[in-house]
């Protein structure tokens, strides 16, 4: 399973894999301007992309022989699980996109993996298995992987040791530095056996989840874990999520924490919250780290935003004003308005 993190599935002429250099014919003289969008990929390895049937035929291709329908994948998830479909062996990034092209799962098969093999003699190297590259190519030693042309640090994931005792539970995790190479394991036990710990891993988005390809990244939990959008975060079971602040935003380093939105995502100050898309009326002053209050639950509601705190001590620590005790939810009162 390959998880595409912090990116959308980009529809290229090849649909998946590495596009080969190719000159694509074109005979666009405006005759197809008013044709509806209906993308096709045509030619050698289906590397030539055309936005509609008219343009493909104008370029000299026979749709039934030379082309594959190439639907836009916006309504599909971002799992890369390549398939070859039909008698023409049309390539698609996953089953959802293949279905948009009109193929039934029974008409598709996974392409055979292509794994390079080096010529170095690694017979004397100790066993230290790695899986490398987009085809998850297995190598028994570091020497074998490097001889095949892979960079261990950038291209490979450490395999779980063969003598590891873990359950067969499927609760997938993705491990590695934020924004760096991510390695996937079926559960945290297997990830631990490969050398990771729970602070280096995030819950992975399960296969078959249908989320849009919108790139609206959110950060979740204390690690933090980053997902392409809230739908993916929800599917992974992530909690405490907040919209990610764009990298080009410039704010001061003032520490005046706020919590915003229904997810109560935390930001160091209102400037960062604004950059993440939250207005001041969607945010509440947060209790700063290190504040010592009792654990008594005597909730209060404060200010024009009706910000809630567990007790008056926390409200005071957050700088909240205009507070009043919150009515218990199990109290039944009439709707008479007598303030």
């Amino acid at each position: 399973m390959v998880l595409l993190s912090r990116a959308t599935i980009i529809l290229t002429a090849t649909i998946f894999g590495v596009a080969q250099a190719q000159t694509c014919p074109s005979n666009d003289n405006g005759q197809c301007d008013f044709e509806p969008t209906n993308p096709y990929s045509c030619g050698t390895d289906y590397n030539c992309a055309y936005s509609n049937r008219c343009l493909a035929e104008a370029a000299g291709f026979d749709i039934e022989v030379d082309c594959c329908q190439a639907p836009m994948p916006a309504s599909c998830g971002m799992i890369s699980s390549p398939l070859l479909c039909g008698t023409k062996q049309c390539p698609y990034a996953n089953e959802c996109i293949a279905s948009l092209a009109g193929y039934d799962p029974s008409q598709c098969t996974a392409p055979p993996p292509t794994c390079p093999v080096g010529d170095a003699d690694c017979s004397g190297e100790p066993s230290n298995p790695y899986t490398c590259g987009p085809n998850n190519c297995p190598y028994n030693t570091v020497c074998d992987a490097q001889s095949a042309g892979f960079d261990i640090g950038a291209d490979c994931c450490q395999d779980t040791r063969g003598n590891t005792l873990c359950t067969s539970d499927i609760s997938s995790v993705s491990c590695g530095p934020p924004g760096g190479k991510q390695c996937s394991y079926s559960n945290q036990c297997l990830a631990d056996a490969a050398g990771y710990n729970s602070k280096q891993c995030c819950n992975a988005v399960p296969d078959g989840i249908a989320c849009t390809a919108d790139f609206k990244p959110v950060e979740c939990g204390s690690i933090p874990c980053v997902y392409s959008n809230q739908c993916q975060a929800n599917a992974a079971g992530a909690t405490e999520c907040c919209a990610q602040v764009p990298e080009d935003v410039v704010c001061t380093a003032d520490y005046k924490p706020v919590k915003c939105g229904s997810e109560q995502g935390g930001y160091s100050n209102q400037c960062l919250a604004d950059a993440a898309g939250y207005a001041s009326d969607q945010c509440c002053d947060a209790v700063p780290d290190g504040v010592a209050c009792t654990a008594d639950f005597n909730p209060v509601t404060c200010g024009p935003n009706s910000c809630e705190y567990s007790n008056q001590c926390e409200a005071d620590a957050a700088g909240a004003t205009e507070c009043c005790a919150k009515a218990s939810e199990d109290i039944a009162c009439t709707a008479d308005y007598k303030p």
Side-chain angles (χ1 to χ4, degrees), residues 5 11 26 40 59 62 90 109 168 170 180 221-222 284 298 310-311 313 332:
S5 177
L11 184 67
S26 174
Y40 281 87
D62 183 330
C90 293
T109 58
S168 58
I170 301 298
S222 58
C284 294
N298 295 309
S310 295
N311 52 49
C313 172

Side-chain angles (χ1 to χ4, degrees), residues 88-112:
K88 289 186 288 187
Q89 293 290 275
C90 293
Y92 298 101
N94 57 44
E95 184 177 308
C96 176
I97 298 175
S99 68
L100 291 179
Y103 288 101
D104 183 87
S106 64
Q107 297 174 282
C108 303
T109 58

Side-chain angles (χ1 to χ4, degrees), residues 13 22 24-25 40-50 61-62 65-68:
Q22 179 179 345
C24 295
Y40 281 87
S41 295
C42 307
T44 305
D45 294 328
Y46 307 110
N47 283 342
C48 293
Y50 300 93
F61 290 107
D62 183 330
V65 176
D66 305 319
C67 304
C68 291

